[in-house]
Amino acid sequence: MNIPPLKGIHHVKFAVSNLDHSLHFYEQVFGAKRNVAWDHKHEDGSIYAYILDVPNLGTRVELRLSPEEAEKQKGFDPLTIAVDDRAALEAWGKHLDKLHIEHSPVLTGIQAWLIVFDDPDGRRLRLYTLATHGSDLKSDEDSPWLKYANWFHTASAICIVPLHVARKQQEKALNLCWYATQLGQ
């Protein structure tokens, strides 16, 4: 089979209930910058979406004003972002603490560790390590942070691996993502 080539993910889109509130969150948490030239506007000039550049994410984020859809996504975990290791998760935990953002402790996943926190609309965001652990560690699958949209059942999850990560680590992270999605089928 001759499949045409892909070039990666152009952007991810999140439905939000309040553009400015969500923009502030992504600026504070991830250092995102709004690209004003790419604001999406209705004919009357009102803005219905912001496009954000997020350092080291490898793709842009669109915040789309759609309160009804944002409500439907509450508790869902559509995005898993790669970080290097447990030390990186600890640093993220401290960063989130400084911002007074509630988050999980470092949790043990099937093959690696993660931290979970909510965006302003209650969507679960996950930071997941590229460094893995052995199969001797028991997963924290009973954690309340994993109960709403348990990652074992997220066949439609999106896994993002920053472009600056070494190719071998990118492949490992994508394999982990594929494995997690297969568990949900």
Side-chain angles (χ1 to χ4, degrees), residues 82 111 130 132 159-163 165-179:
Q111 295 183 356
L130 293 172
T132 61
C159 296
I160 302 295
V161 182
L163 296 177
V165 173
R167 178 113 178 119
K168 188 171 185 172
Q169 287 183 316
Q170 287 180 0
E171 290 171 2
K172 182 189 281 187
L174 291 173
N175 285 337
L176 287 171
C177 179
W178 177 86
Y179 180 72

Side-chain angles (χ1 to χ4, degrees), residues 18-29:
N18 183 307
L19 280 173
D20 291 327
H21 192 213
S22 292
L23 174 63
H24 180 72
F25 174 84
Y26 284 90
E27 287 173 335
Q28 295 299 304
V29 173

Side-chain angles (χ1 to χ4, degrees), residues 60-120:
R60 291 181 177 92
V61 173
E62 177 181 337
L63 302 177
R64 170 83 54 125
L65 186 61
S66 181
E68 301 81 20
E69 289 303 316
E71 181 61 32
K72 290 178 190 175
Q73 294 176 10
K74 189 177 252 179
F76 186 63
D77 57 342
L79 185 65
T80 299
I81 302 170
V83 299
D84 285 330
D85 52 27
R86 282 189 66 133
L89 284 181
E90 296 291 345
W92 271 98
K94 290 177 183 173
H95 173 64
L96 295 170
D97 288 343
K98 286 180 188 173
L99 296 172
H100 305 286
I101 295 173
E102 184 179 7
H103 61 87
S104 73
V106 173
L107 299 169
T108 302
I110 289 177
Q111 295 183 356
W113 297 273
L114 67 154
I115 282 181
V116 183
F117 56 100
D118 294 343
D119 76 359

